[in-house]
Every structure is written in C-alpha cells, then in structure tokens.
Amino acid sequence: MKTILTGIRVNSELTLGNFLGALLPMTRLANKYSDEYNINIFVADLHTIIAEQDGGLQHNLLMLIKMYLAAGLKVNDNVHIYRQSYVPATSEMTWILNCVATMGELGRMIQYKEKGRGEDSCNVGIFDYPVLMATDILLFDGNYIPVGQDQFQHIELTRDIAIRVNHRYGEIFTVPEKTSEQAKFMGSNDGIRIRDLVNPEKKMSKSAKAENSKIMMTDDPEKVAKKIMSATTDSLGEIDFDLKKRPGISNLLQIEALVNDRPLDEVVAEWKGKSNYGDLKKKVAESVSTMLADFQARLAKITDEEVYELMETGEKYANKLANAKLLKLQKAFELR
Ligand code: TRP
C-alpha cells in the first residue's frame, strides 16, 4: 500500500485561511484515500521549535489534532496520527542524513534564505530543517506528500537525498513522487490562498492588526458574519472571478466554494454577471457562520484523552516502521 504523509507545524491559532487552505483539503484527501493508502498525519513538533511558540506547545498541539477531528477526519486502521518527537528514530536518522546532504543544497533553500541566512543568530535548526523533513518522509516510505508550494523545494531535496543514498548503498528508501506529480495528486486544492478581508491583496494572516481582516476558527460565528458583510470588494458592479484584478470578490467566491466543497467554476458560474454584491456577501456569511458553528460544537466535544489515545496508537505503529528503516540505514553506514 502506498503512503500519503504530511507533517503539520504547531500553530498558536488557526485562521479560516489555514483551515480552508490546508487543514480541510488534507482532511478531505485523507477521507477520500484512506481505504487504499496509508495516511500518516503527524505533528512536526521538532520543526515547530525552530521558533518560539506563543500559547504553549502542548496546548496548541492538542488543539491542532482536535481541529482535524472536528473538520471531519475519519480515523480508520490506515490513518496514523503521531507526534514527530515521539518517534526517536527521527532524530537519529536526521544525523545520518546530515552526512549525506550538502551545505550547498541546504544553503539554497528559500526558507533558510528568508529566515536567517548570513545572520550569526540564526539557529542551526533553521538551516537543517529540510533534512529533518526528508527524514520524516523517508522513514515511512512516503509517496505523496501534500504540502503547500512553499515546501516543494524540500520535497525535491528529499528525492535527491533518497536517490543518493540508494545509489551508494542499494535500495533503502522509497523515492517520493516528483513535485509535478504531487501537484496533480492534490488537484485544485493546492496553492489556495485565502485573502485578508480588508486588504484582499494580502494573504489572510493571524498577525493582521485589524480585527475585520481575519477570521479565526474560534471566532463567534455571528461576528464572523459581520466581518464578511464588511469585506472590501470593488466598484465594478458585476461579479466575476479574477484574483489579480479583483481579489476581494474573488476571495469571497473562493471561500463559498471551499466551505461547501463545491468546484470553484460552478460557484463562479452561478454568480457571474450579477450586480448585487450584498447578496453574495450574505450567502458567504451564512455559509461560513454555519460551518463555524458546527465546527466549534464538534471541537468542544473532543476530549484530551481521546487525542492522547489516538496519538499513542499512532506512535506504536510509527516507531515500529521507523526503527526498522533506521536499522537498515545504520547497517548501510556500518553503524550496526
Ligand atoms: N515543513 C512543513 C511545513 O512547514 C511541515 C513538515 C515537517 C512536513 N515535516 C514534514 C510536511 C514532512 C510534509 C512532510 O509546513
């Protein structure tokens, strides 16, 4: 059975953008494929600590898993949820792969370039981040790795590392699919960027100052409806989808499609040419506030115990596989 695998960094609070752009598509993908694929969804807690957290790592971690469950993730025997740091082979294998990856490769990673290259205060974890990620994938023979475009470079690196190791030591790793194949597999869910409601040229961000700019998943549904009613659009007078020229109205159409799990084309066709922006806003406000109310009700019912049990089961499974893979690599390097 092939494996779909993804790691999620712990985040202090989720915006509607994070939810619709990442968490919900991953949940739908997992539900769609969990009869034919292994689905590994893990909390990348070791990746998380490259920067300080606000709100407390453990609390945020529990919340993150609860949000997947509240989003409708169905857990069967093929779905594995675990914490990265509870699979110690991860750290060991990362060291070995550090002796395979090169300074040149890691120095070219965009994330590193943006987050601290050349600064003495940049922690080594930021530099080594992609090797840890390669380990996450290679430990479990991951084939499909649903991630945002910003992570594609890390998947290419993972492939290079796997190919290099296999070339030197024989078939140890499964080489994940090329990023072009990854994108096909994810379909239209890839690259969704929900916009700031006030400044729709920008991505929706939890750090936006204006309250009306962003929707948090824990916001009161009625307040959210008001925020959507006051969203910035344009004065062209006719609804149409054009993210570059008309980001505000396009953002609303996109939200409407995602929340209702409908193809964007279909939603656009339904509204195109109409002149009453208020009707569209009303419809989107209703869709989002209903979705949020349901989501929050489900979220409130999920207990910590339930989440711990799920993770512990996942970790038993993950450690067994990971230890076997690590041993193979250790033998190749004559460490065993
Ligand atoms: N680096 C990913 C991100 O920032 C998270 C991540 C860590 C990951 N390990 C992974 C994603 C392995 C996919 C596979 O979003």
Side-chain angles (χ1 to χ4, degrees), residues 57-82:
L57 179 53
Q58 291 302 323
H59 168 264
N60 295 343
L61 183 157
L62 278 176
M63 196 61 171
L64 183 65
I65 300 296
K66 286 183 185 180
M67 289 208 175
Y68 270 92
L69 299 174
L73 180 70
K74 293 198 201 84
V75 180
N76 66 20
D77 288 348
N78 297 335
V79 178
H80 313 288
I81 294 173
Y82 53 92

Side-chain angles (χ1 to χ4, degrees), residues 19 66 69-72 291 293-302:
F19 184 79
K66 286 183 185 180
L69 299 174
M291 184 272 287
D294 289 349
F295 174 82
Q296 291 170 5
R298 282 197 298 271
L299 192 66
K301 284 202 199 109
I302 304 164

Side-chain angles (χ1 to χ4, degrees), residues 83-98:
R83 289 161 285 192
Q84 181 188 35
S85 77
Y86 278 68
V87 182
T90 306
S91 304
E92 287 201 45
M93 192 188 280
T94 298
W95 178 257
I96 300 177
L97 296 184
N98 276 339

